[in-house]
Amino acid sequence: MKTLNVGIMGLGTVGGGTYTVLTRNAAEITRRTGVQINVIQVADRNIDHAKTMTGGSVAVTGDALEVVNNPKVDVVVELIGGYTLSRELVLKAIANKKHVVTANKALIALHGNEIFAAAKANNVIVAFEAAVAGGIPIIKALREGLGANRIEWVAGIINGTTNFILTEMREKGLTYQDVIGEAQRLGYAEADPTFDVEGIDAAHKLTIMSAIAFGMPMKFEQAYTEGITKLQQVDIKYAEELGYRVKLLGITKCTNKGVELRVHPTLISEKRLVANVNGAMNAVVVKGDAVGPTLYYGAGAGAEPTASAVVADLMDVARLIDATSAQRVPYLAFQPEQVHDLAILPIDEIQSAYYLRLRASDKPGVLANVTKILGDLSISIDAMLQKEPDDNETEADIVILTHITLEKNMNAAISAIEALPEITGKLVRIRMEELGK
Ligand code: NDP
Ligand code: HSE
């Protein structure tokens, strides 16, 4: 029987889950691959915890470099996180001709270009299925299952923490500050939860998907990122009255002007399946020119769902270890010399429909002034909701949904509307997506 020797760095949530799944399902995994996958060494800062978890059957070290330099290890599994030490460890492992499996989206989004070049030069596999949408095999779907298609766009709920928070806000009327602690306790949040709530984690994942979908390098620095921290309960409520849900979406589209790469709160019609994805679940919609829209749904975070993807990558390594690089699926789905540097559209240049909320004096003529500004900029209105002022109040909320327009036209409209004397404070703008065509 062929064997594959594995070293795991980081035995926390995902590392622990990976060890458990590999051990529990060892016989089934061997039945599928014809290879016995053995964990021969683990590294974790907490050596006692690692020893307890592995029950004395595996060598344990506090120094991850030992795993990377261990001549008996064929595959290094990086589950420490971060992108400084993990970059050094992964590059060293590659230089030592070891294959790498990682769940680290920050590492791949920021340093993937360098890592893949090193991996190609050393003829080793770098697999990262768990880096995007936890247990959903979206990397495999994009790279292989949809390989016949020209991918037009990808959009999804790709952060479990924020989806959990938004679900609690909508269903229980809580604020984001009320819920974030619970998301951390449940093990969904990143070590620094700012990455979740400010949309950075989703932007890492979106960057990876856009590179694979369109055959371009990782362009994380150019992603537009807006999180959920400024989202107000009242907008979630008004959106619902109009038949919409608010989700933190990652959206990437290949247009003839350039690639859209953006993460932000988004209104989606409640009739769409994605609008009904709740809690820490993730969902990704991929539109291919041949297949049309396809939807992938499942657990986006947590120990065993993520381990499911890590172990599947290890199984791929087990199957492909003797293949030449030409026989393997390229890291970014396209042949390396066919990965082209596509331009990312600045956010001003994207096209979107919009939800607008403004607070206006309850006087005749206000709406006419607002609609004139929109009309002058060729922004057409799809729906409108005017709330009655509360007792003793002289101002009312007006909510407007627009058809698709250029973001820079919308910026101009917002500035002009905010300058009207009848308008109080800042206008709230949330982008909307149809996700159908
Ligand atoms: P954890 O913090 O639970 O696990 C990381 C482990 O690595 C901890 O046990 C930590 O020890 C250990 N560690 C940290 N630094 C070192 C070091 N220098 N040497 C050895 N061990 C070290 O994180 P997760 O398991 O949640 O995440 C791991 C990776 O997986 C991250 O890249 C994350 O983004 C990604 N991921 C996480 C998902 C999830 O649901 N949690 C889902 C998908 C991806 P200590 O606790 O002492 O710091
Ligand atoms: N913090 C991440 C999330 C973990 O909430 O989606 C999974 O990548």
Side-chain angles (χ1 to χ4, degrees), residues 359-360 362 388-397:
R359 195 145 180 85
D362 192 23
E388 285 293 309
D390 288 340
D391 291 347
N392 307 323
E393 283 200 349
T394 56
E395 291 172 339
D397 280 341

mmCIF file with all atom_site columns, all heavy atoms in Angstrom, residues 359-360 362 388-397:
data_model
loop_
_atom_site.group_PDB
_atom_site.id
_atom_site.type_symbol
_atom_site.label_atom_id
_atom_site.label_alt_id
_atom_site.label_comp_id
_atom_site.label_asym_id
_atom_site.label_entity_id
_atom_site.label_seq_id
_atom_site.pdbx_PDB_ins_code
_atom_site.Cartn_x
_atom_site.Cartn_y
_atom_site.Cartn_z
_atom_site.occupancy
_atom_site.B_iso_or_equiv
_atom_site.pdbx_formal_charge
_atom_site.auth_seq_id
_atom_site.auth_comp_id
_atom_site.auth_asym_id
_atom_site.auth_atom_id
_atom_site.pdbx_PDB_model_num
ATOM 1   N N   . ARG A 1 359 ? -33.497 61.310 4.910  1.00 0.00 ? 359 ARG A N   1
ATOM 2   C CA  . ARG A 1 359 ? -34.397 61.874 5.899  1.00 0.00 ? 359 ARG A CA  1
ATOM 3   C C   . ARG A 1 359 ? -34.718 63.287 5.448  1.00 0.00 ? 359 ARG A C   1
ATOM 4   O O   . ARG A 1 359 ? -33.810 64.113 5.241  1.00 0.00 ? 359 ARG A O   1
ATOM 5   C CB  . ARG A 1 359 ? -33.689 61.868 7.260  1.00 0.00 ? 359 ARG A CB  1
ATOM 6   C CG  . ARG A 1 359 ? -34.601 62.080 8.390  1.00 0.00 ? 359 ARG A CG  1
ATOM 7   C CD  . ARG A 1 359 ? -34.219 61.303 9.650  1.00 0.00 ? 359 ARG A CD  1
ATOM 8   N NE  . ARG A 1 359 ? -35.197 61.606 10.695 1.00 0.00 ? 359 ARG A NE  1
ATOM 9   C CZ  . ARG A 1 359 ? -36.353 60.975 10.814 1.00 0.00 ? 359 ARG A CZ  1
ATOM 10  N NH1 . ARG A 1 359 ? -36.678 60.005 10.013 1.00 0.00 ? 359 ARG A NH1 1
ATOM 11  N NH2 . ARG A 1 359 ? -37.200 61.332 11.778 1.00 0.00 ? 359 ARG A NH2 1
ATOM 12  N N   . ALA A 1 360 ? -36.020 63.547 5.243  1.00 0.00 ? 360 ALA A N   1
ATOM 13  C CA  . ALA A 1 360 ? -36.400 64.812 4.615  1.00 0.00 ? 360 ALA A CA  1
ATOM 14  C C   . ALA A 1 360 ? -37.502 65.503 5.399  1.00 0.00 ? 360 ALA A C   1
ATOM 15  O O   . ALA A 1 360 ? -38.322 64.849 6.058  1.00 0.00 ? 360 ALA A O   1
ATOM 16  C CB  . ALA A 1 360 ? -36.896 64.545 3.201  1.00 0.00 ? 360 ALA A CB  1
ATOM 17  N N   . ASP A 1 362 ? -40.969 67.069 6.044  1.00 0.00 ? 362 ASP A N   1
ATOM 18  C CA  . ASP A 1 362 ? -42.254 66.615 5.513  1.00 0.00 ? 362 ASP A CA  1
ATOM 19  C C   . ASP A 1 362 ? -42.981 67.801 4.868  1.00 0.00 ? 362 ASP A C   1
ATOM 20  O O   . ASP A 1 362 ? -43.988 68.278 5.388  1.00 0.00 ? 362 ASP A O   1
ATOM 21  C CB  . ASP A 1 362 ? -43.062 66.000 6.671  1.00 0.00 ? 362 ASP A CB  1
ATOM 22  C CG  . ASP A 1 362 ? -44.281 65.253 6.160  1.00 0.00 ? 362 ASP A CG  1
ATOM 23  O OD1 . ASP A 1 362 ? -44.267 64.847 4.987  1.00 0.00 ? 362 ASP A OD1 1
ATOM 24  O OD2 . ASP A 1 362 ? -45.221 65.085 6.948  1.00 0.00 ? 362 ASP A OD2 1
ATOM 25  N N   . GLU A 1 388 ? -44.444 57.606 7.283  1.00 0.00 ? 388 GLU A N   1
ATOM 26  C CA  . GLU A 1 388 ? -45.093 58.712 8.014  1.00 0.00 ? 388 GLU A CA  1
ATOM 27  C C   . GLU A 1 388 ? -44.163 59.197 9.116  1.00 0.00 ? 388 GLU A C   1
ATOM 28  O O   . GLU A 1 388 ? -43.536 58.373 9.790  1.00 0.00 ? 388 GLU A O   1
ATOM 29  C CB  . GLU A 1 388 ? -46.372 58.195 8.686  1.00 0.00 ? 388 GLU A CB  1
ATOM 30  C CG  . GLU A 1 388 ? -47.531 57.955 7.753  1.00 0.00 ? 388 GLU A CG  1
ATOM 31  C CD  . GLU A 1 388 ? -48.058 59.222 7.149  1.00 0.00 ? 388 GLU A CD  1
ATOM 32  O OE1 . GLU A 1 388 ? -48.338 60.171 7.921  1.00 0.00 ? 388 GLU A OE1 1
ATOM 33  O OE2 . GLU A 1 388 ? -48.139 59.307 5.910  1.00 0.00 ? 388 GLU A OE2 1
ATOM 34  N N   . PRO A 1 389 ? -44.026 60.529 9.318  1.00 0.00 ? 389 PRO A N   1
ATOM 35  C CA  . PRO A 1 389 ? -43.227 60.971 10.468 1.00 0.00 ? 389 PRO A CA  1
ATOM 36  C C   . PRO A 1 389 ? -43.869 60.500 11.767 1.00 0.00 ? 389 PRO A C   1
ATOM 37  O O   . PRO A 1 389 ? -45.093 60.382 11.845 1.00 0.00 ? 389 PRO A O   1
ATOM 38  C CB  . PRO A 1 389 ? -43.254 62.490 10.385 1.00 0.00 ? 389 PRO A CB  1
ATOM 39  C CG  . PRO A 1 389 ? -43.970 62.855 9.138  1.00 0.00 ? 389 PRO A CG  1
ATOM 40  C CD  . PRO A 1 389 ? -44.641 61.641 8.583  1.00 0.00 ? 389 PRO A CD  1
ATOM 41  N N   . ASP A 1 390 ? -43.031 60.191 12.763 1.00 0.00 ? 390 ASP A N   1
ATOM 42  C CA  . ASP A 1 390 ? -43.568 59.829 14.078 1.00 0.00 ? 390 ASP A CA  1
ATOM 43  C C   . ASP A 1 390 ? -44.244 61.062 14.674 1.00 0.00 ? 390 ASP A C   1
ATOM 44  O O   . ASP A 1 390 ? -44.001 62.186 14.232 1.00 0.00 ? 390 ASP A O   1
ATOM 45  C CB  . ASP A 1 390 ? -42.432 59.370 15.007 1.00 0.00 ? 390 ASP A CB  1
ATOM 46  C CG  . ASP A 1 390 ? -41.918 57.999 14.590 1.00 0.00 ? 390 ASP A CG  1
ATOM 47  O OD1 . ASP A 1 390 ? -42.657 57.290 13.878 1.00 0.00 ? 390 ASP A OD1 1
ATOM 48  O OD2 . ASP A 1 390 ? -40.772 57.683 14.963 1.00 0.00 ? 390 ASP A OD2 1
ATOM 49  N N   . ASP A 1 391 ? -45.088 60.853 15.712 1.00 0.00 ? 391 ASP A N   1
ATOM 50  C CA  . ASP A 1 391 ? -45.747 61.986 16.400 1.00 0.00 ? 391 ASP A CA  1
ATOM 51  C C   . ASP A 1 391 ? -44.694 62.998 16.798 1.00 0.00 ? 391 ASP A C   1
ATOM 52  O O   . ASP A 1 391 ? -43.598 62.629 17.228 1.00 0.00 ? 391 ASP A O   1
ATOM 53  C CB  . ASP A 1 391 ? -46.469 61.488 17.668 1.00 0.00 ? 391 ASP A CB  1
ATOM 54  C CG  . ASP A 1 391 ? -47.663 60.632 17.287 1.00 0.00 ? 391 ASP A CG  1
ATOM 55  O OD1 . ASP A 1 391 ? -48.044 60.655 16.093 1.00 0.00 ? 391 ASP A OD1 1
ATOM 56  O OD2 . ASP A 1 391 ? -48.172 59.913 18.174 1.00 0.00 ? 391 ASP A OD2 1
ATOM 57  N N   . ASN A 1 392 ? -45.005 64.260 16.681 1.00 0.00 ? 392 ASN A N   1
ATOM 58  C CA  . ASN A 1 392 ? -44.123 65.386 17.051 1.00 0.00 ? 392 ASN A CA  1
ATOM 59  C C   . ASN A 1 392 ? -42.883 65.502 16.163 1.00 0.00 ? 392 ASN A C   1
ATOM 60  O O   . ASN A 1 392 ? -42.002 66.295 16.451 1.00 0.00 ? 392 ASN A O   1
ATOM 61  C CB  . ASN A 1 392 ? -43.642 65.307 18.518 1.00 0.00 ? 392 ASN A CB  1
ATOM 62  C CG  . ASN A 1 392 ? -44.797 65.148 19.480 1.00 0.00 ? 392 ASN A CG  1
ATOM 63  O OD1 . ASN A 1 392 ? -45.855 65.752 19.248 1.00 0.00 ? 392 ASN A OD1 1
ATOM 64  N ND2 . ASN A 1 392 ? -44.617 64.341 20.509 1.00 0.00 ? 392 ASN A ND2 1
ATOM 65  N N   . GLU A 1 393 ? -42.773 64.669 15.124 1.00 0.00 ? 393 GLU A N   1
ATOM 66  C CA  . GLU A 1 393 ? -41.617 64.787 14.240 1.00 0.00 ? 393 GLU A CA  1
ATOM 67  C C   . GLU A 1 393 ? -42.018 65.507 12.967 1.00 0.00 ? 393 GLU A C   1
ATOM 68  O O   . GLU A 1 393 ? -43.150 65.371 12.489 1.00 0.00 ? 393 GLU A O   1
ATOM 69  C CB  . GLU A 1 393 ? -41.059 63.409 13.897 1.00 0.00 ? 393 GLU A CB  1
ATOM 70  C CG  . GLU A 1 393 ? -40.256 62.820 15.031 1.00 0.00 ? 393 GLU A CG  1
ATOM 71  C CD  . GLU A 1 393 ? -39.321 61.714 14.562 1.00 0.00 ? 393 GLU A CD  1
ATOM 72  O OE1 . GLU A 1 393 ? -39.454 61.272 13.413 1.00 0.00 ? 393 GLU A OE1 1
ATOM 73  O OE2 . GLU A 1 393 ? -38.462 61.323 15.372 1.00 0.00 ? 393 GLU A OE2 1
ATOM 74  N N   . THR A 1 394 ? -41.089 66.256 12.392 1.00 0.00 ? 394 THR A N   1
ATOM 75  C CA  . THR A 1 394 ? -41.397 66.983 11.164 1.00 0.00 ? 394 THR A CA  1
ATOM 76  C C   . THR A 1 394 ? -40.625 66.420 9.985  1.00 0.00 ? 394 THR A C   1
ATOM 77  O O   . THR A 1 394 ? -40.682 66.945 8.889  1.00 0.00 ? 394 THR A O   1
ATOM 78  C CB  . THR A 1 394 ? -41.028 68.484 11.330 1.00 0.00 ? 394 THR A CB  1
ATOM 79  O OG1 . THR A 1 394 ? -39.651 68.530 11.710 1.00 0.00 ? 394 THR A OG1 1
ATOM 80  C CG2 . THR A 1 394 ? -41.891 69.155 12.364 1.00 0.00 ? 394 THR A CG2 1
ATOM 81  N N   . GLU A 1 395 ? -39.886 65.358 10.255 1.00 0.00 ? 395 GLU A N   1
ATOM 82  C CA  . GLU A 1 395 ? -39.100 64.749 9.180  1.00 0.00 ? 395 GLU A CA  1
ATOM 83  C C   . GLU A 1 395 ? -39.517 63.292 8.999  1.00 0.00 ? 395 GLU A C   1
ATOM 84  O O   . GLU A 1 395 ? -39.921 62.636 9.956  1.00 0.00 ? 395 GLU A O   1
ATOM 85  C CB  . GLU A 1 395 ? -37.608 64.791 9.520  1.00 0.00 ? 395 GLU A CB  1
ATOM 86  C CG  . GLU A 1 395 ? -37.058 66.200 9.499  1.00 0.00 ? 395 GLU A CG  1
ATOM 87  C CD  . GLU A 1 395 ? -35.640 66.261 10.022 1.00 0.00 ? 395 GLU A CD  1
ATOM 88  O OE1 . GLU A 1 395 ? -35.231 65.329 10.751 1.00 0.00 ? 395 GLU A OE1 1
ATOM 89  O OE2 . GLU A 1 395 ? -34.950 67.216 9.692  1.00 0.00 ? 395 GLU A OE2 1
ATOM 90  N N   . ALA A 1 396 ? -39.380 62.819 7.761  1.00 0.00 ? 396 ALA A N   1
ATOM 91  C CA  . ALA A 1 396 ? -39.766 61.435 7.463  1.00 0.00 ? 396 ALA A CA  1
ATOM 92  C C   . ALA A 1 396 ? -38.654 60.756 6.690  1.00 0.00 ? 396 ALA A C   1
ATOM 93  O O   . ALA A 1 396 ? -37.875 61.412 5.994  1.00 0.00 ? 396 ALA A O   1
ATOM 94  C CB  . ALA A 1 396 ? -41.048 61.436 6.639  1.00 0.00 ? 396 ALA A CB  1
ATOM 95  N N   . ASP A 1 397 ? -38.610 59.413 6.815  1.00 0.00 ? 397 ASP A N   1
ATOM 96  C CA  . ASP A 1 397 ? -37.672 58.629 5.999  1.00 0.00 ? 397 ASP A CA  1
ATOM 97  C C   . ASP A 1 397 ? -38.281 58.386 4.628  1.00 0.00 ? 397 ASP A C   1
ATOM 98  O O   . ASP A 1 397 ? -39.461 58.015 4.514  1.00 0.00 ? 397 ASP A O   1
ATOM 99  C CB  . ASP A 1 397 ? -37.405 57.264 6.659  1.00 0.00 ? 397 ASP A CB  1
ATOM 100 C CG  . ASP A 1 397 ? -36.401 57.357 7.788  1.00 0.00 ? 397 ASP A CG  1
ATOM 101 O OD1 . ASP A 1 397 ? -35.651 58.351 7.842  1.00 0.00 ? 397 ASP A OD1 1
ATOM 102 O OD2 . ASP A 1 397 ? -36.372 56.432 8.625  1.00 0.00 ? 397 ASP A OD2 1
#
